[in-house]
Amino acid sequence: MRKYETIFILHPSMDEEAVKAATEKFKGVIENGGGTIDNVDVWGKRKLAYEINKVGEGFYTLINFSANPELPRELDRIFRITDGVIRHIIVKDEK
């Protein structure tokens, strides 16, 4: 199992319950795919460095997890098809 971290930005028009539901959905994808979650850090609503599709802020969440090499591809697919995700990135943690 390798260590990864992902950060995703959700649309600011989402309410608090929708943000929690989306975060739980992504955590479920990791856990159901055989991964283990090490840390979840919710940063909350922050201003973006630059506008994305005329949106200037979003809800940031960072998740550190361990998983097999196939899981990040599936998680990336889920991020892409989920409404409300403005940006996301998954990187292998080299620590």
Side-chain angles (χ1 to χ4, degrees):
M1 302 245 301
R2 296 180 181 160
K3 293 199 174 284
Y4 296 93
E5 67 179 21
T6 183
I7 188 166
F8 55 91
I9 305 170
L10 299 174
H11 199 277
S13 66
M14 298 174 74
D15 62 352
E16 201 67 35
E17 291 179 19
V19 171
K20 286 182 183 178
T23 303
E24 290 300 319
K25 174 182 177 180
F26 301 136
K27 286 170 50 178
V29 169
I30 294 168
E31 291 170 342
N32 294 335
T36 58
I37 295 176
D38 302 327
N39 183 34
V40 177
D41 192 9
V42 179
W43 295 356
K45 191 183 247 186
R46 295 186 177 226
K47 185 170 173 49
L48 300 176
Y50 56 90
E51 285 191 359
I52 302 170
N53 296 330
K54 299 183 181 178
V55 176
E57 57 186 12
F59 289 100
Y60 284 71
T61 304
L62 171 74
I63 300 177
N64 299 89
F65 63 99
S66 302
N68 57 22
E70 293 81 32
L71 184 66
R73 274 186 251 128
E74 175 63 16
L75 186 59
D76 183 56
R77 186 185 74 79
I78 299 296
F79 279 136
R80 290 178 189 273
I81 63 173
T82 302
D83 290 337
V85 176
I86 298 173
R87 283 284 192 271
H88 71 279
I89 188 168
I90 305 168
V91 294
K92 187 167 68 168
D93 195 359
E94 297 292 335
K95 295 180 186 174

